Structures are given as C-alpha cells and as structure tokens.
Amino acid sequence: MEHPLNTIDLPSLANATPTIRNDWTREEAAAIYHAPFMDLIFRAATIHRQSFDPNKVQCNQLLNVKTGGCAEDCGYCSQSAHHDTALPASKLMDPKEVIEGAKAAKAGGATRYCMGAAWRSPKDRDMAPVIEMVKGVKALGMEACVTLGMLSDDQAKQLKDAGLDYYNHNLDTSEEFYPSVVKTRTYGDRLDTLQKVQDAGIKVCCGGILGLGEKPTDRVEMLRTLANLPKHPESVPINMLIPIEGTPIAETATPVDPIAFVRTIALARILMPTSDVRLAAGRTAMSDEMQTLCFLAGANSIFIGDTLLTTPNPGENKDRALFDRLGIEARDDLGVHSHG
C-alpha cells in the first residue's frame, strides 16, 4: 500500500511558503510520525528550509535561579520536594549574580538567557526580583526567558511589561499519559498558563520529554496538542530523559530509541514549520551522529553551557567541535527576533 507521504511532491515543497495549520487530526499526525524514515526526514528538512537557514542553530543558556523544594510531584524531576534526590533547596538568587551569569553566557555565544525557578507558582513577593533579572538580561541586548510554574493573569502582565520575550511551560507528554507523570496538577492547568502567557503577548516555549515510559502515540499527541493551539509555540524544546536517582520514573525508565527520537523532531518540524525546535536535556547521551540527524530533521536550537537546571550538558568545546564538523554556525539573534 502506498504511504501518504508518497503522494506529496516533496521537491516542490522547497520553494513553497510554510503552511500553518491548527487542525491536525490524530490520524494525520500518526501517519507522518510512522512514515518511511527517509521520506519523513526529507519532508522535514525541506519544510525546515522554507523558514530557516539549515546551517544556523540558535543558542540558549539556562540558569537555575531557585533550586529544589518544589511542591509539584513530577516523577522525573530532582527538584521535587516529594522525592529523595539529595538536592538541597535554595533561595532565589540575587538578581545581580544572575545578570553576571547572563553576561558570561552572551560572551559564550548565547543569544537567549533562560532562568528557571523550582516553584509550583511564584508568590507575589517573588515577582520583583524576577522582574529585575528580566530587565537586566534585556539591558544586555539578549532575549529573556523564564520558567516559574503556573502564572496568574496579573503575573503574566507584569512579566510582559518587564520586557520578557519567552515563557517556558512544558506539557511533558500527552494528556492521556500525563497523570502517570504528575499528580499535583492537571493537563488543563498547563494549558491554562499557556493561554495566559499568550494573552499577555509573551512568546511561548513549550515542549516535552521522551523516555518517561510513554508510547509513540503519546509523543505524537503531545506535539499535535501544541500544533493545534490557536498560535503555535515559538519555541519547542524536546528533552530526552536523564534518569535521576531518587525520582520514581528513574526506576522504570527505558532508553529512547535514537530513530524514534529523530522521528519526534521531524514531526515537530512538520507540524510547526516556523517554530524553533530545540534539542534540550539529554544531549550528553546522544552521539554526534544522532544530533546530526536531529539537525537534519529540523532541530535548530540547543542549550549551550556545561549544565542545564540540575543535569549535565555537553559543554562549549564539544558543541563547537560538532558545529565545525557540520559547517553549522550559531544564529545571531541579538537585536533580531527569531521566526515565529
């Protein structure tokens, strides 16, 4: 039987304008994910070139500005107060220290600085120092992103007024599988915060994690949920689970098949043609060849630096060596808004 992708004139896609859709069906998305691999990658790479330079990758750096003690029970997270991971809780960092970190990140090639706080949701008293951080990063000419948990409408407005570019709030997985990962909040809570962020005029950074014990269907449905939002997230991070001792999911996690991971990247690119698709956590466990396939399939964003929130990252020298081998350059977004 002929596969659906074979009915598409793939070469003609190269000169086409990307089609933005918000009405993907389960069947359509699943057919794309399960297409013959070569056809899938060719389609994703072709669509990628309609909106982006395939030889440029956007670079972010991430700093944990408030570690541990989180009231949420996310089964994969070392920062949850529900798990015994030997990670001590810390207070919110001094904004001056955060801004110094942002200066170093900019010098290292990052154009966006992402600040994460392990909260279920910020308290009103937390907003002033966070806003100082955002303004300080913006003053350096960098894009600013924060992830603080669930927001109220007023908090979203405050962040927008401070000049925040991106708000990160991941769906993690499909709605069906979500209760197996998190019990202290609902999928609807996540979508509600995304709506508040978009209503405030802040760009959305939202993706998920592979390796939680989910089925391929769950990966497809997570991306379909994002693609069917009224507006696509401008940034879509795809994480590969790094199992952390003391977290419930670490006991049952199974390694993600690299080809399945690349399929997920390709699906994200096809469903959301103008969004940045980011290789996030887990790159330390990826071979250079796997990362290369991800870039070919439409990934165009990474985190640089030695650490993410609480997990290791490849580091500048390793990334630069891979970029040099592939002829890839860091995308210069300073003063320029990215696609989306």
Side-chain angles (χ1 to χ4, degrees):
M1 187 180 82
E2 188 170 47
H3 195 277
L5 277 193
N6 295 339
T7 63
I8 297 168
D9 183 7
L10 292 173
S12 71
L13 280 175
N15 300 315
T17 303
T19 303
I20 305 297
R21 287 182 51 188
N22 309 83
D23 61 351
W24 294 94
T25 67
R26 280 175 175 261
E27 294 73 21
E28 284 176 309
I32 294 168
Y33 178 87
H34 291 291
F37 189 74
M38 303 307 167
D39 291 344
L40 173 64
I41 299 307
F42 186 65
R43 181 179 179 187
T46 305
I47 286 173
H48 183 62
R49 287 168 181 262
Q50 294 171 359
S51 298
F52 297 100
D53 182 334
N55 299 308
K56 287 196 162 52
V57 168
Q58 188 261 334
C59 296
N60 313 261
Q61 194 146 335
L62 180 60
L63 177 69
N64 213 0
V65 298
K66 194 290 177 192
T67 306
C70 182
E72 302 284 22
D73 69 350
C74 307
Y76 54 81
C77 187
S78 62
Q79 303 201 71
S80 170
H82 297 257
H83 313 323
D84 183 14
T85 59
L87 183 75
S90 72
K91 291 182 178 176
L92 187 64
M93 287 176 66
D94 185 300
K96 292 184 180 62
E97 193 180 348
V98 172
I99 293 158
E100 285 304 309
K103 288 178 185 172
K106 182 179 178 180
T111 57
R112 187 180 308 162
Y113 202 58
C114 309
M115 296 159 277
W119 290 322
R120 174 177 168 81
S121 54
K123 296 181 173 64
D124 288 339
R125 67 168 183 265
D126 300 320
M127 293 304 291
V130 169
I131 284 166
E132 188 179 339
M133 293 174 194
V134 170
K135 288 181 173 177
V137 170
K138 293 293 290 178
L140 299 174
M142 300 181 79
E143 290 183 318
C145 176
V146 296
T147 178
L148 313 171
M150 295 182 286
L151 294 179
S152 67
D153 287 315
D154 182 60
Q155 288 170 337
K157 184 180 183 305
Q158 288 181 58
L159 291 169
K160 172 64 177 175
D161 291 345
L164 185 71
D165 295 291
Y166 286 84
Y167 193 82
N168 168 259
H169 201 62
N170 290 338
L171 289 183
D172 294 340
T173 189
S174 70
E175 185 168 10
E176 182 184 5
F177 190 65
Y178 192 79
S180 304
V181 180
V182 185
K183 293 184 172 57
T184 50
R185 60 169 184 250
T186 67
Y187 211 66
D189 291 333
R190 304 302 272 178
L191 293 170
D192 183 51
T193 290
L194 292 181
Q195 184 65 55
K196 287 173 179 171
V197 168
Q198 288 189 324
D199 287 348
I202 300 169
K203 294 175 184 173
V204 165
C205 171
C206 185
I209 306 171
L210 275 59
L212 300 171
E214 77 284 350
K215 302 186 294 293
T217 314
D218 297 307
R219 298 166 188 170
V220 173
E221 284 301 292
M222 173 192 71
L223 292 175
R224 192 175 75 90
T225 300
L226 293 176
N228 284 353
L229 290 174
K231 188 169 187 280
H232 290 172
E234 285 82 359
S235 195
V236 182
I238 307 293
N239 299 272
M240 189 166 77
L241 180 72
I242 298 177
I244 296 169
E245 192 174 346
T247 60
I249 283 178
E251 298 169 16
T252 57
T254 53
V256 178
D257 171 55
I259 298 297
F261 189 93
V262 177
R263 283 185 177 278
T264 307
I265 294 289
L267 180 63
R269 171 52 63 220
I270 292 167
L271 297 189
M272 292 170 277
T274 60
S275 302
D276 284 328
V277 176
R278 180 173 312 119
L279 291 185
R283 287 200 301 123
T284 49
M286 298 180 191
S287 68
D288 285 355
E289 293 78 8
M290 180 179 170
Q291 289 189 68
T292 299
L293 274 178
C294 288
F295 293 135
L296 182 63
N300 66 330
S301 178
I302 61 168
F303 283 114
I304 60 173
D306 296 324
T307 55
L308 297 181
L309 289 174
T310 61
T311 53
N313 203 43
E316 184 182 350
N317 292 341
K318 193 162 176 18
D319 284 335
R320 185 166 287 137
L322 178 59
F323 277 22
D324 286 347
R325 288 168 68 198
L326 299 178
I328 284 177
E329 297 175 356
R331 196 172 85 200
D332 182 8
D333 281 352
L334 293 185
V336 180
H337 285 297
S338 61
H339 285 267

